[in-house]
Amino acid sequence: DETGEILDAHLERARVTNRAQLTYAEAQHQIDDRTASPSLALLRTIGEQRLALERERGAVSLALASQEVVRADDGTFDLEYDESLIVEDWNAQISLLTGIAASRIMIDAGVGLLRTLPVPENRTVDKIRRTARALGIEWPDDVTYAQRVRELRPDTPPRAALLSQAARGLRGAGYVSFTDHDTPSDPLHSAIASTYAHVTAPLRRLCDRFGNEIVVAHCADREPPSWAVEALDELPKLMGAASQRDRNLERAFVDYVEAVVLVPKIGHEFRAVVTDVDNDRGRGRVQLQDPAVVARLPAEGLTLGSEITVRLDEANPEERLVRFSVSG
């Protein structure tokens, strides 16, 4: 409707003509200078409406600093901290919109696979609040976890550290399947503040292939194919294992590039921010300002949110290993 709320959703097979291939930067430029096509220009309208509704629902959005591997002009590789454009947020809202609509169709059909995330425990949120106080970051008692972290940007050492800690409230995501209208007792994805299903990436994510078959069948007033329904019990386990492999592979790429980038800088000192201190495990995490490296250090002597100087002691690409120590 005129506010961006879902009125109805329908899925059918169709042929799509791709008329343009734009980078996010190109899309942002066209929207900003008003040269975008009508459909691309509409992305801003719907994206902003959906972001407003997301805030009203109490959804959680974290602007975590992420590392991106980039290819330089000379063919070498480097690391940068990803600074997303607002058009990426608008585009993400379309995917979220689709997943929310798909989940509702599945629940109506009485069969499907939902992406879920439990509400963070009170003790977890209390710990994040205590961290905010320790870092000197204001957090009024009447402001919720979702409201406060949505406003944070990693633009100061304390805020970067608090964002890292706030991610602890988003642990426990998984998948839950259901059939015969036996809807899960806790079907919500707490960070989205809605029911949700993964359906937008069937070429790279296994469960989307099955979810789409179920949705398209229900929209056509047909029973979903038996092969799709029979796989539902196994999919949560398969997706959990696949997600773990995906995270391990991504981390391996970044670890390797970190080591390659840092080999010539062994013995150099760098400014860094302490973004995590885990005394139970005896380790901490620091975020270098330049290059865009995130590294582990022994927890002893580290203070969350502090700026320190670290020395690079080792960089080994073959083992995807970098080792720092606190300087001075």
Side-chain angles (χ1 to χ4, degrees), residues 43-55:
L43 181 61
R44 181 205 293 267
T45 302
I46 298 176
E48 290 179 346
Q49 289 175 339
R50 293 300 301 178
L51 283 169
L53 291 171
E54 185 179 74
R55 286 190 291 271

Side-chain angles (χ1 to χ4, degrees), residues 6 27 34 45 76 78 131 152 172 198 216 221 232 254 271 289 318 320:
I6 302 171
R34 302 185 184 280
T45 302
T76 61
D78 203 350
T131 299
L152 289 174
H198 272 155
V216 77
D221 293 323
L232 290 179
V254 174
R271 294 299 295 167
Q289 296 174 2
E318 290 187 4
R320 303 193 299 275

